[in-house]
Amino acid sequence: MDSTTWVGATARQISRAVRRGDASATQVVADHLEQIAISDPALGAFRVVRGGEAITEAEKVDDQEDLANLPLAGVPVAVKENTAVAGLPTWHGSAAARTPEVAEEDHEVVRRLRGAGAVVVGVTKMPEMGLWAVTDDEGGPTRNPWDLERTPGGSSGGSAAAVAAGLVPIAQGNDGLGSIRIPAACCGLVGLKPGRGVVPVDFGDKDWFGLVENGVLTTTVADAALGFSVLAGQAPAKLVEPSKLRIGVSLRSPAAGVKPDEANVSAVAKASKLLVDVGHDTVTADPVYPTSVALGVLATWFAGAYVNSEGLPVERLQPRTRRHIALGKTMMRAGLVRQKQRDAWRERSTQFFADKSVDLLLTPALATAPPPAVQYSASPWRKNMWANASYAPYAAPWNYAGLPAIVVPVGFRPDGLPLAIQLVGPPGSELLLLSVAGQFEVANPWQRHALV
């Protein structure tokens, strides 16, 4: 952190300084707004920046008499554009999908962030209707701060780019088939997808039949734990070092014909060694991904697009989105979105930990490097499908099961892009996942920000 600015500080550092009176929320927010103005034109992370409004909110934080009970006092945060922020439209990634009116009140997770003292500096971009693991729109692609020629992932791509570039220390995202974890892996961040029912979703029929979970993207595990506790409505938890664990390790891909490249194989090997070095046991333990799960994920993905499109001017949506919606309509009519199938996979996934006698599962986060930052929204549907499936197959099964999972950086690819791994746990293991991620961070510290 530059001594003359709060840009680059962690959320914990900022909130501690504001609570102690060592910094003002107004100055912290002003510093970050200045950095956004400098860096975001190259990144395209933000849909809208709330300059004056954010300063006014920060001043109100400074005026509060009791800052001690605000765990995010003065912390600038960004909110993904499909999550309601009072006074703004909710864009959903495109002008065609945008709500015609401004939101009258904050989404519950935004309310909780503000209630903890955070200041919303803007909303971040996502692909149309959150359907893709790459982020772009008619105005151009959002870019990865580590390499501007690469995507930051999706669908929480704008949030990830903003955090990785130091434009905010923490950003809200949501994860329907990997939309927090994939961008976290692309951008060298910590990204936790909570398990089902832990954090409010409240998207009505736009939650992809219950696949979507809200969470945060951060540069440190401590910030991830803090953000999770705020969104979950819990007291900030102090992470404790876990007792000796038995951790399953698997390279098996959930997608037929897709395998991890050499860099991602090495990331898992490095992570496995780190786990042993800090006192855990590792063992090969491959989940069995039934064909029914792959088909169920696809059917729910397509059908979610169809349900989300109701009431929208479909003819104005991107061609790739219209194709997705048409397939979703077919899936719905064929009755291929089956809760019974999901329940069976959740039971089987949960039982996996008992059957293999493992506490957590370690997998690659990605199969390949993040794809190029290009105009996917103008590309054929087939190209979009391949771009998504070929580089990021490891996240979706755990949405389908409703289990918690976290992505953690472990180094860099030979081309300089971040490398990451995924840890998956049984229901209720969010704090355990964060604790083990914290051990990674201590044993193998990572560079927190890209130099844009």
Side-chain angles (χ1 to χ4, degrees), residues 190 192-193 221 225 228 234 237-248 275 278 280 353 358-361 404-406 408 423-440:
V190 181
L192 172 68
K193 180 195 81 69
V221 174
F228 166 70
Q234 303 173 1
K238 184 177 181 181
L239 298 179
V240 297
E241 190 166 306
S243 57
K244 186 173 185 175
L245 302 173
R246 180 177 163 91
I247 298 174
L275 288 168
V278 300
H280 302 303
F353 295 96
V358 295
D359 299 291
L360 300 174
L361 173 67
I406 193 169
V408 186
L423 289 168
V424 184
S429 61
E430 287 85 0
L431 293 181
L432 178 60
L433 289 168
L434 285 161
S435 295
V436 175
Q439 292 182 300
F440 274 110

Side-chain angles (χ1 to χ4, degrees), residues 40-123:
D40 196 51
L43 294 174
F46 281 88
R47 178 70 64 188
V48 66
V49 178
R50 303 176 68 249
E53 298 96 327
I55 292 294
T56 299
E57 284 184 22
E59 291 171 345
K60 290 179 179 178
V61 172
D62 287 328
D63 288 342
Q64 293 193 41
E65 293 183 1
D66 184 12
L67 295 176
N69 294 320
L70 299 180
L72 291 175
V75 175
V77 301
V79 174
K80 187 176 177 181
E81 64 173 319
N82 65 345
T83 308
V85 175
L88 293 177
T90 308
W91 279 266
H92 296 288
S94 78
R98 166 181 165 170
T99 56
E101 66 285 330
V102 300
E104 294 184 2
E105 58 185 23
D106 290 331
H107 185 282
E108 176 62 18
V109 295
V110 178
R111 189 191 68 79
R112 291 184 181 189
L113 289 169
R114 281 180 161 152
V119 177
V120 178
V121 298
V123 297

